[in-house]
Amino acid sequence: MASLTGGTYPPAIEDSAERDALAQEIKDWSIAHGLAVRPPPAVVENNAEGILAMNAPVTLFPSPFPKSCFREAKAIQTTYNELYASISNDEEFIAGLVQEIAGADDFIANLWQVHQRVKKEGYVQNLSLGLFRSDYMVHQDGDRLQIKQVEFNTIASSFGGLSAQTSLLHKHLAQTSYPHLQDTAAASTQLDLPENDSAKGLAAGLKAAYDAYGKSEQGHPTCVLFLVQGGERNVFDQRHLEYELQQSSVPVFRLPFSEILQRTSISPKRQLLYTLPTNSSKVFEVAVVYLRAGYGPSDYPDQAAWEARYQIERSSAIVCPTVLTQLAGMKKVQQVLATPEQSSSTSPVNNSDNYPTALKRFIPQEHNQKALLRTFTNIYPLDTTPSGLTARKLATDPELCKRYVMKPQREGGGNNFYRTSIPAHLKTIPEKHWSSYILMEIITPPPLTNTILRNGQLEKGGVICELGIYGTCLWDSTSGEILHNKLAGYLLRTKGDQSEEGGVAAGFGCMDSVALV
């Protein structure tokens, strides 16, 4: 990547006074513009009143990113939206994969049980909403640079609010601070900083669903309900989406996932009704439920939490995502799409020329199939199929495992097992449960450097960037008709090149933006 920037960008800023001045400018701008998070306990032990905020971890400079890769990732997003809407509609396909996993994964089994309960009594809402994010890294193969998909997120695709603000921060610095740096080569660099409307784009998807729901039959005012985790540190990211919606005169309320049963009820026709905790005379009919919680086992500490998810799923509200859409985001789905249907144990997994995948079941157009396939990397099952047996050999070999990451069916950072930790973890679980994981070849990005401002401290060194492209999709799960399908901005997360995980909220990565090269 240094060859793409001439080796002069980003600047090192050796002078400590200059570096500290730039960091202070970032701190102030970030708080003034809501590029912020609640402080972690390691920084502030007691923030019980929620009165403190700090700048989100962020890079001092936007990171260079190949223009061709950025354009490809954006161009393919609406096709990815269509793909995952189609998968969400295919109960038979999802059921087959759940059956492979559920015996070793109670969380997936419980999600499926919620769907089964609602299906038995009959769904009353045909419309489904997806606020998606497809994550990529640039893979370097000799002189060739190409995007390869890390994962596809169908629930709680975060940082759309903060990402838009990060792009604005770096544009502000490019106009006000970078030109005055002592490093004259860097100061004279004309950065190509693309527009990023991720907050507006995601809010527009929620607004499309809100409008499609229509007026309340019972005469209640309608609203959008954000389901959130208690003690959410990433609250400002979510607030930016709320504020965008409220600009369109859409009532928006936040409800902790743990309080669903206390604050909502179901009418005889299964409308979801929300009573304001501050004014019990105010009752809203919920048009759209947006889950920023409920994506992991920790959100379901008891049966009451599963009853709460069931209440949401069985209601007439448009749910983002439904259980089926959430299950479509399983890593197992990504693996099946990338793995050839007819492959021997010696065949490469991602050989799209000779081995068609399940992709054609959902995307009939050959040119769209090929465009998607180009973004896939080698992904293996860990079952007893020929591909799975190959993967088991790779995962348990002390040398070969160094090229892979093993993933469970989870969202959020901190769940994966990398390289030499894979064989050790497999030894701790019964072999019959191995099939609940996938094995993915590690993507090899080109080397980059940057400086990260995290918790008030500057960290300089090699970094790895991960690009997320947002998309919004509203579809009719009965007819399959797609009513809304849009690109919705981007996210760039950056981490130190010695870190395996990239989650910002989990404390691994930081916010960044793209400088096209």
Side-chain angles (χ1 to χ4, degrees), residues 487-506:
L487 175 72
Y490 82 89
L491 161 72
L492 192 71
R493 287 174 297 175
T494 292
K495 62 183 180 181
D497 59 8
Q498 300 304 306
S499 172
E500 303 285 18
E501 295 284 358
V504 178

Side-chain angles (χ1 to χ4, degrees), residues 160 164 195-202 487-490:
E195 294 295 322
N196 186 10
D197 58 355
S198 50
K200 283 181 170 32
L202 292 170
L487 175 72
Y490 82 89

Side-chain angles (χ1 to χ4, degrees), residues 37-47 54-55 57 233 454-455 505 507:
V37 294
R38 296 289 185 207
V43 176
V44 177
E45 289 186 8
N46 184 12
N47 190 28
M54 61 187 294
N55 68 279
R233 290 186 53 234
R454 186 197 313 278
N455 297 339

Side-chain angles (χ1 to χ4, degrees), residues 343-378:
S343 64
S344 70
S345 60
T346 58
S347 299
V349 173
N350 187 20
N351 188 342
S352 57
D353 293 333
N354 300 319
Y355 298 98
T357 75
L359 193 60
K360 65 181 184 293
R361 176 172 178 150
F362 306 106
I363 299 295
Q365 305 89 353
E366 188 174 348
H367 68 283
N368 283 340
Q369 292 175 23
K370 289 183 177 179
L372 293 168
L373 283 167
R374 282 195 296 270
T375 69
F376 293 169
T377 189
N378 289 334

Side-chain angles (χ1 to χ4, degrees), residues 80-90 132 325 473 475 480 482:
Y80 261 117
N81 293 347
E82 178 186 347
L83 170 63
Y84 276 85
S86 182
I87 292 171
S88 300
N89 288 347
D90 196 330
F132 298 141
T325 303
C473 193
W475 68 94
I482 294 180

